[in-house]
Amino acid sequence: MLSDLFLLPEERANPHTRVDAVHGPGVAWSTGNVVRPLVHGATYFAELHERLSATGPGDLVLFADWRGDPDQQLTDDPAATLGATLAAAARRGAEVRGLLWRSHWRRFGFHSEKSWELAARVNEAGGQCLRDMRVAPGGSHHQKLVVIRHAVGPEDDIAYVGGIDLCHSRRDTADHRGDTQVIPMPRVFGPTPGWHDVQCAVQGPAVHDLETTFRERWDDTTPLTSNPGRFASSRLQGEDLDPRPLPEQAPPPPSPEGAHEAVQVMRTYPALLAKGFDFAPHGERSVARGNGKAVRSARRLIYLEDQYLWSEEVGRHFGEALRENPDLHLVAVIPIVPDVDGAVSLPPQLWGRKLAMDLLLEAGGDRVALFGLTSPTGYPVYVHSKVCIIDDVWASVGSDNFNRRSWTNDSEVSVAVMDDRGTEGGAAPDTFALRLRRELVAEHTGLDPEDVPDDPDELWDLLGRTADALDAWYGDGGPSRGRVHVPRPRAPLRGTAVRWRRRSAPAAGSAASERPPGRLRRIGPPELTRAQALWAPRLYDVFDPNGTLGADDGLPPVDSPDDGPGDGAPAVAADR
């Protein structure tokens, strides 16, 4: 039953939201949807451009993002930039509304000027894009959401949700040669960093739920900023701080033909210090709660892709499931190295990774496999996707990472997807969870999706063989579960604090021209020097703030309600 894995309305623990208002009693999800995975930014951007370009008078375009670059190319056409595409939609008569995180000061490495530039472009064309700083201390608005609704033809309504920001570095393909419009990253990633990411397209009644998520934040009476300095600066610059009313919300779109996916919208909102959101005065943590409920049902395989996989809390979250079920295996695909470098910035991030990895390996031993990705050219690929697939039955895709800040401190949105035809006898061959897992594993192993095994044991062996063969080809040895490929930073590559061999001599007996298929490399808990292990934990809260501090000492149990205000710590210039 869907209620076995999806949250019930009371389990969302936020009675103030209306995201479930159109559902029946005791139901916090919609059925009859079609959900498609869009793997890689180039795939997503091309479809988004096509959909935006088809909007006209009376249509509604809503978008929320962590960052928006007005000059980001959506296609190869030089004129098809994000700013130009949104402005053109507004000039054709579409109601265009945007909410962008205002960001911290650009001199600290952030991007506040980018949101300003995109907002100016949209506003000049007749739309309205606002910069939003209603965040917990050190927090951010991290949602990546686009909703398109049509005045005529609601069957074409669509929403996009996932991990792909509307900004530089995201427009990559399966070749992972990177986006030519680059956000600065450590040199270890190469001149155009490979970027692995996932968004999904949702059609059907769930579009209404995602639209409600945007509308709640847009209509909220909390001022866009409570900082007197920022407020004065915005007024002096003539910045618009007053949201215009949105058109009345249309009923949920109809179910497409053949639709069979149930979708639950999950969010994270912090409890703001000055004035809480009208729709979440004590915050909302349905992302953590929803994942917790689904993980407790896991029997054979949890497949994760994540940007971070940090913190003791996250390690215990999955570690408890591994301990309780000796048949359960866990696969995690994460970046080989973090995206922020430096003698001060890197060790706290490695510490957060070590906290989670040590607990996972302690709980699951050789039932835990940790992998990174390399491109065909040998550079590490930055894994930015936020995916969790449980037993090929339940899958979540969204903006939330597996770390404390995504579960407590930042604004996040994701969708959990299941087959609404029932799951007895195993997953149907066309479920979203199964299709997504096949597509991801196919890319990582060099196979066609139809050749990827569904049996968890066969899949486990395939992933291990692929990584071991590539490690051996790069000269990193043969099979070695839990092998550390993020060495102690005692001989760093120039520009990074982590050594990385892009290409080394193949192992004896292997042909130099025959690189094994696939992208997987084994990784393990990072090593820190004694000195780093002393001071890195003291800075870790800066990178991964816990939004429940002040209410309790850690993340709330997923079965208990959240009460009380949150707090946090200053953020850093990480590319999230």
Side-chain angles (χ1 to χ4, degrees), residues 22 149 154 157 208 211 248-254:
V22 297
R149 302 210 62 181
D157 291 353
H208 184 276
E211 179 189 3
E248 184 178 352
Q249 188 171 10

Side-chain angles (χ1 to χ4, degrees), residues 4-27:
D4 291 338
L5 280 80
F6 279 159
L7 293 174
L8 299 175
E10 61 271 19
E11 291 173 323
R12 188 182 289 275
N14 179 16
H16 305 274
T17 180
R18 57 185 177 87
V19 72
D20 299 320
V22 297
H23 307 143
V27 176

